[in-house]
């Protein structure tokens, strides 16, 4: 079998993972820690053998997000082909499994056993699916347990055999030990000894106990007999007392029987239920007579009504014609309504025509409208002319508005230009101000000339102060004072001169500004004048184009026989209204034609109605509808009278038949009543009722007597006992009283004897109680037997465990003799290859101890080896068991089995696994990259990244 692919839906931390495998050889799956390699191995195991239950120690891998765990696995079997195993957690603990192939064929879960070649789960987990868990188990074992563990691995593929042996040993120790006290069998044995000693002491008391027990048994037998005698007497007493309790019933029974015997039943003859039958016949006879009277009254009334009905046969003969005219009446009304609608439509059309004529301001005759020829091309041409005329009109209006705006602007600019010109200086004033300005510039005194002495004085003062030269400082102060006086004089003179020069300069600047503005206005005036001339030219050209459009419009009017004005023709919407008038004219003609046809149909119907009225000599008032409705009403009335007459005739016939039937029934009933008189042997009704009363009395006597008789029978008395008891309480009453007195005396004597025996029994019971104060011998004996039975059951259980352990030892011995040599030989070859012949073989000693032999012949126990070498022994035995125990092509799953191997032995181990994988599929899981690099030829599958791993 080969694993082809996996698809994990939800399993532990994995969700929606897919992976495919090669069908042959070794394949490595590389993934980091917590990537889910162990989860993947457990998923494969769960697909084969189901999910573990909650009470098992194995992990269940239930997703944390609440989804159901499950997935599917596709396998290829050498005999059965390719199948998919899908298992999802559901109604069962192991999950709901589905098995199907590529064609959709499905199989049940039993087929899965065939796909697994009957391999059990313990063998699979022991020899075909192993890894770090097995290595951790090896690390925890003692030296002796390690050897036994490897032996169990060679035998069964896992440590189950070792665990079973340990379980047998533990259970046997819990049941029995030679020198122990706490085991169950030891405790039960001590209890048996203690109860045995107590039985010996109670054995002497048991002899007195037996004597008293025999007396008590004889006394109980005597008490039983006395009790039976007492019960018999009490039973007789109850019977006699019951006889007195039933005395009224028995006396009445005796009286009824005597009275019944006094009747002569042969003389009293009366029909069964005679009174009920006679009264029923009387009642039915009365009902029939009442019905007969009712029928006669109805028959008379029907004959009278039939004579009162009058039928006009002439109207009935014209039934079809009248109905036909009446059925056409809705059509007549519909035509009449259509005619009125047409008249209203004509009025509406004429009103709309008037509104359209008012809108266009012209009146067109019907002939002019009909002569007007308007094709689609002519309308399109006219629409173009209207658009062109409208465009020219808009353009003309816009140019006129622009021309008017230009004219107004020219006038405004001319006024502004004249105003600006008045603000300019004349040539004389301009020359005068120029000369004054030049003169001021020539006589000007610079402020710097006054400031220079002041700065010199400050320099002198600073120099004298820094050199402590007082004369220099004094000279500087004199210069400073002279400079101040000079500046004061200058400032006063400059102020007067500045006022005059400022006015001159301001007037010159103002004139320059006014002159610039005047020049700008002059330029604007010249430009606006040019624009005005250009607009005037454009307006002239536009008038020429309008004349051209108007000429083409006149030409269009002549071609299409248009009789209106050309100016109106170019008005937008004008021709649309003319077309509406033309369309209204057509509608009006159509409606008028329809009115002619409606009038023809109406006149035809009215003529038919007048002719029909004349034939039936019915007065015609001129209203056709009223005439037809009146004729229909008369016809319906005549038809109703005729139908009523027919119904009355049929009813009279039925009434006559019913009358004859009633007369026959009355005759039959009267004969039946006479027959009842005859059966009762009477000839009158009063004699019949008298005979009925006598018969009722006899029946009541019989019923009461039978009731009492049945009551006594239900109490358990036979007919003979009933007659005898009735005789005792009536005729033999005295003898019965004497009998009850004798029974009461006998009961008293027996009761006394019974009480004495009961007292004797109580005394003996007290003596037995004294003997049993320390517990009875039988109770201790019973307890001894129970303990002995429990002890036997535990001994049997211990023996079965001992036997099972012996059988297991025999199986181990048989395996060691038959299969173990082959497994050890194969594992020796594997172990030798791993260690490069450093170790030659793995063998079993005579003391059932596993040992490995080195190349020089030195032997080692497993606990004497290093951890890595011990794991290599473990791996060699696992591979050997897999090759000998299971199917030859079953896949093997390994999880980092070489984690504690050095590089050299890791390479040799991987080469060995490659050799083993030539005939089967082997999946090697690892988290170490260097392991994959050792065998680069082996396909490497990188396990999915964390994107496919859910919350762990």
């Amino acid at each position: 079998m080969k694993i082809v692919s996996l698809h994990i839906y939800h399993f532990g931390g994995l969700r929606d993972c897919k992976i495919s495998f090669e069908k042959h050889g070794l394949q490595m799956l590389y993934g980091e820690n917590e990537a889910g390699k162990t989860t993947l191995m457990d998923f494969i195991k769960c697909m084969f053998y189901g999910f573990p239950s909650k009470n098992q120690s194995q992990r269940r891998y239930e997703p944390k997000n609440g989804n159901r765990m499950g997935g599917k696995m596709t396998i290829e079997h050498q005999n059965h082909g390719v199948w998919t195993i899908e298992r999802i957690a559901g109604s069962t603990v192991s999950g709901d499994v589905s098995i199907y192939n590529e064609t959709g064929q499905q199989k049940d879960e039993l087929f899965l056993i065939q796909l697994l070649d009957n391999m059990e789960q313990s063998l699979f987990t022991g020899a075909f699916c192993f890894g770090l868990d097995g290595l951790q188990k090896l690390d925890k074992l003692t030296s002796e347990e390690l050897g036994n563990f490897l032996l169990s691995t060679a035998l069964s593929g896992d440590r189950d055999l070792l665990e079973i042996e340990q379980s047998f040993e533990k259970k046997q120790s819990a049941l029995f030990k030679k020198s122990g006290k706490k085991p169950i069998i030891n405790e039960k044995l001590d209890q048996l000894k203690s109860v045995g000693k107590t039985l010996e002491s109670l054995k002497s008391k048991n002899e007195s106990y037996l004597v008293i027990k025999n007396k008590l048994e004889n006394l109980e037998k005597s008490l039983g007999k006395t009790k039976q005698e007492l019960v018999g007497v009490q039973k007789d007493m109850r019977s006699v007392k019951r006889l007195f309790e039933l005395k009224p019933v028995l006396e009445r029974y005796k009286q009824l029987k005597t009275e019944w015997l006094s009747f002569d039943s042969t003389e009293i003859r009366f029909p069964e239920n005679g009174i009920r039958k006679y009264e029923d016949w009387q009642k039915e006879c009365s009902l029939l007579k009442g019905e007969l009277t009712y029928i006669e009254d109805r028959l008379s009334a029907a004959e009278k009504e039939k004579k009162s009905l009058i039928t006009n046969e002439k109207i009935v003969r014209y039934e079809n014609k009248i109905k036909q005219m009446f059925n056409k009446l809705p059509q007549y009304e519909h035509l009449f309504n259509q005619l009125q609608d047409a008249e209203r439509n004509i009025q509406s059309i004429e009103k709309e025509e008037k509104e359209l004529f008012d809108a266009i301001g012209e009146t067109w005759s019907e002939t002019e409208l009909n002569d007007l020829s308007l094709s689609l091309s002519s309308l399109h041409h006219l629409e173009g002319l209207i658009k062109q005329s409208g465009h020219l009109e808009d353009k003309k209006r816009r140019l006129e508005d622009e021309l008017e705006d230009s004219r107004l602007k020219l006038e405004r600019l001319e006024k502004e230009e004249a105003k600006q010109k008045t603000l300019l200086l004349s040539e004389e004033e301009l020359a005068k101000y120029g000369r004054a300005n030049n003169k001021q510039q020539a006589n000007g005194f610079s402020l710097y000339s006054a400031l220079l002495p002041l700065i010199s004085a400050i320099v002198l003062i600073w120099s004298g102060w820094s050199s402590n030269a007082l004369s220099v400082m004094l000279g500087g102060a004199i210069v400073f004072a002279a400079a101040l006086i000079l500046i004061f004089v200058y400032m006063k003179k400059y102020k007067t001169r500045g006022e005059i020069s400022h006015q001159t300069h301001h007037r010159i600047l103002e004139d320059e500004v006014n002159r610039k503005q005047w020049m700008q206005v002059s330029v604007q005036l010249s430009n606006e004048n040019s624009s005005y001339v250009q607009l005037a030219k454009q307006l002239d050209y536009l008038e020429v184009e309008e004349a051209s459009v108007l000429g083409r419009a006149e030409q269009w009017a002549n071609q299409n026989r248009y009789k209106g004005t050309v100016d109106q023709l170019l008005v937008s919407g004008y021709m649309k209204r003319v077309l509406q008038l033309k369309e209204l004219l057509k509608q009006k003609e159509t409606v008028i034609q329809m009115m002619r046809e409606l009038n023809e149909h109406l006149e035809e119907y009215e003529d038919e109605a007048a002719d029909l009225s004349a034939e039936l000599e019915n007065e015609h008032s001129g209203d056709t509808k009223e005439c037809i409705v009146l004729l229909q009403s008369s016809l319906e009335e005549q038809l109703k009278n005729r139908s009523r007459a027919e119904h009355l005739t049929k009813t009279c016939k039925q009434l006559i038949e019913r009358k004859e039937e009633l007369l026959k029934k009355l005759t039959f009933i009267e004969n039946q009543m006479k027959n009842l008189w005859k059966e009762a042997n009477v000839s009158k009704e009063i004699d019949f009722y008298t005979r009925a009363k006598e018969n009722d009395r006899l029946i009541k006597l019989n019923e009461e007597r039978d009731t009492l008789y049945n009551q006594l029978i239900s109490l358990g008395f036979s007919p003979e006992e009933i007659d005898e008891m009735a005789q005792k309480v009536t005729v033999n009453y005295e003898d019965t009283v004497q009998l009850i007195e004798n029974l009461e005396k006998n009961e008293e004597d027996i009761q006394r004897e019974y009480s004495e025996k009961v007292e004797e029994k109580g005394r003996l019971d007290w003596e037995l109680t004294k003997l049993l104060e320390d517990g009875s011998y039988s109770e201790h004996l019973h307890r001894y037997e129970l303990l002995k039975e429990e002890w036997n059951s535990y001994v049997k259980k211990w023996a079965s465990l001992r036997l099972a352990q012996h059988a297991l030892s025999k199986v181990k011995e048989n395996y060691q003799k038959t299969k173990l040599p082959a497994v050890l030989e194969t594992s020796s070859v594997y172990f030798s290859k791993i260690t490069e012949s450093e170790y030659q073989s793995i063998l079993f000693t005579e003391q059932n101890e596993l040992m490995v032999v080195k190349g020089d012949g030195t032997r080692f126990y497993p606990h004497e080896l290093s951890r890595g070498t011990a794991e290599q022994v473990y791996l060699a035995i696992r591979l050997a068991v897999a090759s000998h125990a299971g199917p030859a092509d079953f896949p093997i799953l390994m999880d980092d089995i070489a984690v504690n191997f050095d590089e050299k032995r890791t390479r040799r181990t991987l080469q060995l696994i490659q050799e083993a994988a030539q005939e089967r599929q082997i999946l090697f899981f690892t988290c170490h990259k260097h392991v994959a690099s050792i065998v680069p030829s082996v396909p490497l599958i990188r396990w999915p990244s964390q994107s496919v791993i859910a919350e762990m």
Side-chain angles (χ1 to χ4, degrees), residues 757-776:
K757 291 180 179 180
V758 170
E759 290 179 0
E760 179 66 18
K761 181 178 179 297
R763 185 182 63 81
L764 293 174
D765 286 337
W766 179 81
E767 291 180 2
L768 284 176
T769 303
K770 293 295 289 181
L771 289 173
L772 297 175
E773 283 182 352
D774 297 332
S776 66

Side-chain angles (χ1 to χ4, degrees), residues 130 834 871-879 894 897 901 909:
F130 51 90
I834 292 173
E871 290 174 2
Q872 292 158 16
V873 175
Y874 164 77
L875 174 61
I877 294 176
R878 287 283 178 119
L879 290 175
M894 302 178 182
I897 196 66
F901 299 0
T909 300

Side-chain angles (χ1 to χ4, degrees), residues 303-497:
E303 292 291 343
K304 185 177 180 180
E305 184 182 358
K306 186 177 178 182
K307 291 178 181 179
S308 66
L309 294 174
I310 300 174
T311 306
N312 188 349
E313 295 296 335
K314 190 172 184 180
I315 292 179
V316 174
R317 285 198 303 272
Y318 283 91
E319 177 184 357
N320 294 333
K321 183 67 175 176
I322 293 172
K323 287 183 177 181
Q324 184 178 6
M325 292 297 292
F326 184 76
N327 292 333
K328 289 182 179 180
L329 184 59
Q331 183 179 2
Y332 171 78
E333 292 177 346
H334 178 66
L335 293 174
F336 186 77
N337 292 332
Q338 282 186 332
L339 182 61
Q340 291 181 340
D341 292 340
E343 291 175 353
R344 286 193 292 270
N345 196 8
I346 288 294
Q347 293 175 1
S348 175
I349 290 173
E350 290 176 350
K351 182 179 179 181
E352 192 174 352
E353 280 183 346
K354 185 174 181 306
E355 291 175 353
L356 288 173
F357 281 137
D358 293 340
I360 63 178
E362 294 179 347
T363 302
W364 287 63
S365 64
E366 294 182 1
T367 303
E368 290 174 343
L369 286 172
N370 289 328
D371 291 342
L372 182 62
S373 175
L374 296 174
S375 61
L376 290 176
S377 60
S378 63
L379 290 174
H380 182 69
H381 184 204
L382 178 61
E383 185 178 356
L385 291 175
I386 292 171
K387 287 182 179 180
Q388 190 173 2
S389 175
H391 177 69
L392 292 175
E393 186 69 25
D394 293 340
K395 190 173 182 180
K396 180 179 179 182
R397 190 181 301 110
R398 187 176 68 256
L399 289 174
E400 288 177 349
D401 292 341
E402 291 178 358
L403 189 64
E404 180 65 19
D405 292 342
S406 181
R407 185 184 65 78
L408 294 174
K409 193 172 183 180
L410 277 173
E411 292 177 356
R412 180 179 61 78
L413 289 173
E414 287 175 352
K415 291 178 180 180
E416 188 175 353
E417 192 266 343
K419 182 180 178 181
Q420 290 292 334
K421 193 172 183 180
T422 58
L423 295 177
L424 298 177
L425 294 174
S426 62
E427 294 295 336
E428 293 81 6
E429 291 176 339
L430 184 60
K432 178 182 176 181
Y433 282 113
R435 288 193 298 270
N437 189 29
N438 294 332
K439 185 178 180 181
Q440 181 183 355
Q441 291 178 358
N443 298 326
F445 179 77
S446 177
L447 180 61
Y448 296 105
S449 300
L451 289 176
L452 184 59
L454 183 60
I455 294 171
S456 300
I458 292 172
V459 170
L460 289 174
I461 293 170
W462 179 79
S463 299
W465 179 75
S466 59
S467 60
N468 293 323
L470 185 61
S471 59
V472 177
M473 291 178 62
L474 182 61
I478 296 171
V479 174
F480 183 77
L484 289 176
I485 294 169
L486 182 62
I487 290 173
F488 176 75
V489 172
Y490 170 77
M491 291 297 295
K492 188 174 180 181
K493 185 178 180 181
Y494 179 77
K495 183 178 181 181
T496 304
R497 190 185 299 129

Side-chain angles (χ1 to χ4, degrees), residues 170-182:
K170 185 177 180 181
K171 289 179 180 179
Q172 288 182 59
S173 300
L175 289 174
F176 177 72
K177 287 183 179 179
K178 289 182 179 181
S179 59
K181 293 183 179 181
K182 292 184 179 180

Side-chain angles (χ1 to χ4, degrees), residues 214 307 319 443 504 544 559 597 605 729:
N214 291 331
K307 291 178 181 179
E319 177 184 357
N443 298 326
T504 303
V544 174
Q559 291 176 353
E597 294 176 357
Y605 183 81
V729 297

